[in-house]
Amino acid sequence: MRHRKIKGAREMLLAHEDYAVAEDEAIGKDWDEFFGAQRPLHVELGTGRGKFITGMASNCPDVNFIGIELKEEVLLRAVKRARDKQLHNVAFIAGNGARLMEYFKAGSLERIYINFCDPWPKNRHSKRRLVHRGFLEMYKEILTQKGEIHFKTDNEKLFEFALNEFSDSGFRLRNISLDLHSSGFEGNVTTEYEERFAALGMKIYRCEAYL
Amino acid sequence: MRHRKIKGAREMLLAHEDYAVAEDEAIGKDWDEFFGAQRPLHVELGTGRGKFITGMASNCPDVNFIGIELKEEVLLRAVKRARDKQLHNVAFIAGNGARLMEYFKAGSLERIYINFCDPWPKNRHSKRRLVHRGFLEMYKEILTQKGEIHFKTDNEKLFEFALNEFSDSGFRLRNISLDLHSSGFEGNVTTEYEERFAALGMKIYRCEAYL
């Protein structure tokens, strides 16, 4: 999907210094200090307009949430959403999910959320999928010993790929849903993308992978 | 599905003593002795007309295969198929898959196949599903330390249930297919039911669970 470039989006974004952190500033940052409170840290890769992560932050005040999103003009919407909700336990990095290792210390994340990431359907691009075993090995480094990855997609092939990559990489699986919105799963926080696709009757796949 | 009762099916079946074993005789049987050769033992629960297990037995002469099937008139077809193919590494028990523990010693099976078992769709019947955790605990007892369960179904809900039961019961998963016949999976041996359903364009789900 292409997004309209907003002139000066970067400046507008970084003006919200309570919520937005530039990529370079995120490197090696002390997140407890940033939030002014030591809490478990959950990170969403590709946070988009932030519906999911601000919803989670509302529901779980005892957790610090960080959303990572490359597109600054999209992230601006997420920042405004967090500000309008007056949330104090969520922030955003205008950066690249693949650079996670630079933003967080090894063993420091309790949970990583990957929601509706790019499926990269061609086999020769499989290494770019955020659930490829290359990334999973990286996540293992950065997760706590009991760390978890929560994964959602509307792409059946990507979900099949993810289940196998998780399993082969030594993650255990639980709460696997092949049709989330018709399952009995409770407490699901939707993304904007998810709402649109579920409304069209498309299946949503979800699982939790844990160490 | 109802099957035509064949008069004297039991007698006809047990006349093929190289291939068919009555339920009572299967209890505590020495299978190495029965086959006259010590080989890894693979068992299929609900073997039907035996297309799958005789196909496997043809492909893997170094493994002993046993198919369990309750319906004697159905099993008669499986026995005839094995005899026509002159297979010496496959036999059938006219018995109940749920009584596995009586037919085999603890730690004696390398692999259990569960193909297109009854999905028992109502929640209150979930314990009857052959992939319910109650059965999985039983299979664990009877499998070798590196034992495996290979599971196929055309029922999405049952597959979802199975993935979760396997995971929660401490099995690891691999080779998960959400659409087996359009996947790149090689070496699949089909059942008669599977051929019929795949031909109708229905998806076949498959996974391997291992200890």
Side-chain angles (χ1 to χ4, degrees), chain A residues 1-192:
Chain A
M1 203 189 324
R2 293 200 58 169
H3 292 274
R4 191 165 53 93
K5 272 271 181 197
I6 302 173
K7 211 176 157 187
R10 185 174 177 77
E11 289 67 34
M12 286 165 72
L13 188 62
L14 298 178
H16 299 278
E17 58 186 19
D18 288 352
Y19 291 111
V21 179
E23 186 162 36
D24 291 347
E25 279 181 41
I27 295 167
K29 199 169 189 73
D30 183 332
W31 295 103
D32 286 343
E33 189 183 63
F34 175 84
F35 283 110
Q38 198 175 348
R39 301 186 191 108
L41 205 53
H42 290 194
V43 167
E44 186 188 21
L45 307 183
T47 211
R49 295 174 186 176
K51 181 173 188 299
F52 175 81
I53 201 147
T54 56
M56 292 297 291
S58 280
N59 291 354
C60 313
D62 296 334
V63 173
N64 287 332
F65 291 90
I66 296 179
I68 303 177
E69 174 60 53
L70 202 58
K71 302 188 196 85
E72 289 161 350
E73 57 278 17
V74 174
L75 196 53
L76 194 55
R77 303 280 293 269
V79 162
K80 286 180 176 169
R81 197 190 288 262
R83 189 200 56 192
D84 292 348
K85 286 180 141 187
Q86 298 188 293
L87 295 169
H88 300 296
N89 61 333
V90 62
F92 301 92
I93 300 172
N96 189 335
R99 293 184 61 190
L100 208 55
M101 290 292 277
E102 300 174 49
Y103 310 148
F104 304 100
K105 292 189 196 78
S108 70
L109 300 189
E110 290 228 339
R111 203 177 287 178
I112 295 171
Y113 301 100
I114 304 173
N115 293 319
F116 304 93
C117 65
D118 195 326
W120 291 104
K122 289 178 182 161
N123 273 339
R124 70 171 187 275
H125 293 149
S126 66
K127 285 187 183 174
R128 302 186 192 175
R129 298 171 195 154
L130 287 181
V131 288
H132 183 274
R133 59 190 68 196
F135 285 115
L136 298 187
E137 291 304 321
M138 185 176 88
Y139 305 151
K140 271 196 227 172
E141 291 291 314
I142 215 154
L143 284 168
T144 63
Q145 274 194 321
K146 292 274 176 191
E148 299 181 8
I149 300 172
H150 291 200
F151 177 63
K152 280 199 276 195
T153 181
D154 61 315
N155 186 301
E156 181 189 70
K157 278 279 159 210
L158 181 65
F159 191 66
E160 177 182 281
F161 178 82
L163 290 178
N164 284 299
E165 293 292 284
F166 282 132
S167 297
D168 293 351
S169 300
F171 284 88
R172 309 195 75 94
L173 296 167
R174 74 177 155 223
N175 290 328
I176 302 166
S177 298
L178 299 180
D179 188 1
L180 179 63
H181 291 240
S182 79
S183 77
F185 185 76
E186 287 178 15
N188 181 46
V189 173
T190 58
T191 75
E192 280 164 329

Side-chain angles (χ1 to χ4, degrees), chain B residues 5 34 54 64 84 99 101 133 141 158 173 185-186:
Chain B
K5 273 272 181 195
F34 175 84
T54 55
N64 287 332
D84 291 348
R99 293 183 61 187
M101 290 292 277
R133 58 192 66 197
E141 291 291 314
L158 179 66
L173 296 167
F185 186 77
E186 287 176 17

